[in-house]
Amino acid sequence: MKLGSSPQVGQLVRILKGKDAGEAAVVIKVIDSRFVYIADGDKRRFDAPKKKNIQHLELIPFISSEVVDSLEETGRVTNGKLRFVVMKYGASAGSSANERGD
């Protein structure tokens, strides 16, 4: 994580530490300067998010406007939207890896 950058609601992150290392998730709530709640809509649902230290996350420079709008309007986001955002990121990351030949 770069110094001076802070996570925002709706931002995509990659988990660096813990049993979910290497997986992507979406920030659904910023608790303070050190901790956020993340969910992916599959293993971690919106109703049972994971509290993570931001030092254990890689912030991806993508913020889902769908997730942000849903949270602002209703205070909730569907697990389907979270899965869609994570899947869309995974598909784009996978295609760039194929282009590089990795």
Side-chain angles (χ1 to χ4, degrees):
M1 191 183 82
K2 291 181 272 187
L3 292 173
S5 64
S6 61
Q8 298 178 14
V9 172
Q11 186 167 14
L12 203 59
V13 296
R14 180 169 319 159
I15 302 168
L16 300 176
K17 303 277 185 174
K19 68 179 182 178
D20 297 328
E23 296 182 16
V26 180
V27 175
I28 59 170
K29 184 176 182 181
V30 177
I31 300 170
D32 57 23
S33 62
R34 283 187 61 196
F35 292 99
V36 295
Y37 280 118
I38 61 170
D40 64 5
D42 187 24
K43 291 180 186 174
R44 279 286 168 197
R45 303 214 175 238
F46 178 80
D47 295 333
K50 176 72 176 169
K51 183 178 178 181
K52 287 295 273 187
N53 186 327
I54 63 171
Q55 293 179 345
H56 298 168
L57 301 172
E58 175 187 350
L59 301 179
I60 297 168
F62 174 76
I63 297 175
S64 171
S65 59
E66 297 153 346
V67 172
V68 173
D69 292 343
S70 181
L71 285 169
E72 286 177 354
E73 291 172 8
T74 64
R76 298 186 48 83
V77 65
T78 64
N79 291 313
K81 279 185 186 177
L82 293 172
R83 283 192 302 268
F84 176 75
V85 171
V86 170
M87 182 189 68
K88 189 166 67 169
Y89 166 72
S92 66
S95 64
S96 65
N98 290 336
E99 291 170 8
R100 290 192 315 259
D102 291 340

